Amino acid sequence: MAVPPATYGASDRPPRGDYSVARDDYTCDQDWQRYTAAEHALFARLYQRQMRQVPGQACDEFAQALGRLGDGDRIPRFDDVSRVLRAATGWEIVAVPGLIPERAFFELLAARRFPVTVWLRRPDEVDYIVEPDVFHDLFGHVPLLFDPVFADYMQAFGRGGLKAEGLRSLQFLARLYWYTVEFGLIATGRGLRVYGAGILSSAGETVYALTSPAAQRLGFDLRRVLRTPYRIDEYQRTYFVIDSFEQLFEATAPDFTPIYAEVAALPPLPIDVRLEGEKLHPPNPARQEPVPQ
Ligand code: PHE
Ligand code: CO
């Protein structure tokens, strides 16, 4: 039985999905023929809803790459996505039954293979789902794999995960995944933008993350992130803001071995604390929603 990795949403429940069809590396066939018309329609509905959040709120790299996933009118064939992705950055996507063990997950990333869950959420889960499904994995994660710097970050993360496992430091590294890959914000000349997949695939978190006074937005600091626990069942109280993917890549390039030791010796931080002298980014001004026609 696969253990849900701390890296993308740990819980006590056994993961959903058919693991009997998985190979040793936990990949499986997408079996595209098996999706029903209703599933394709639900995917299209999710895609259209989330598309509306993209202009002016998602980072440019995400917005520009989104179209390369296909038309959004049905669940894409993973092979088609992989073909364009391979040509762009050498990444490919592989089908998995659902959450997979950490080691298998990191090994795939280290080989520039991104695992995408095959199943789609049920209609009663359109607004909220605890585990990643094909919509979250594809819409949320795959666009940024077209960005060369972010693509290299993800591979470095895979290698770093294998190393952290040996150092028993996965709980710290999981926080970095959470606050960057899943819930990261980026500062631009036009204000804050979202690059985290967990936000961009969520029904309401994009507007909240960018504009809510209930959250704090701190400048990215590696040690601070490694010390910050997270909740998986509510909107975040704290986001970390990078200035560029280059900054993120460079800040995470040093050997983490001594940094893990440092962080392990410190007490965990309360989830929404602000430490003295920390850089706070102001939220974007609340947007006037267009009047529905
Ligand atoms: N530099 C990290 C290490 O030595 C590896 C890493 C890179 C982890 C990028 C996450 C992201 O452990
Ligand atoms: Co995810």
Side-chain angles (χ1 to χ4, degrees), residues 151-163:
D152 285 351
Y153 174 68
M154 289 297 280
Q155 178 176 32
F157 207 109
R159 294 179 176 148
L162 295 170
K163 178 166 142 191

Side-chain angles (χ1 to χ4, degrees), residues 50-65:
Q50 294 312 116
M51 267 292 277
R52 287 199 290 274
Q53 303 293 323
V54 169
Q57 299 196 99
C59 67
D60 289 342
E61 293 83 353
F62 183 93
Q64 282 157 16

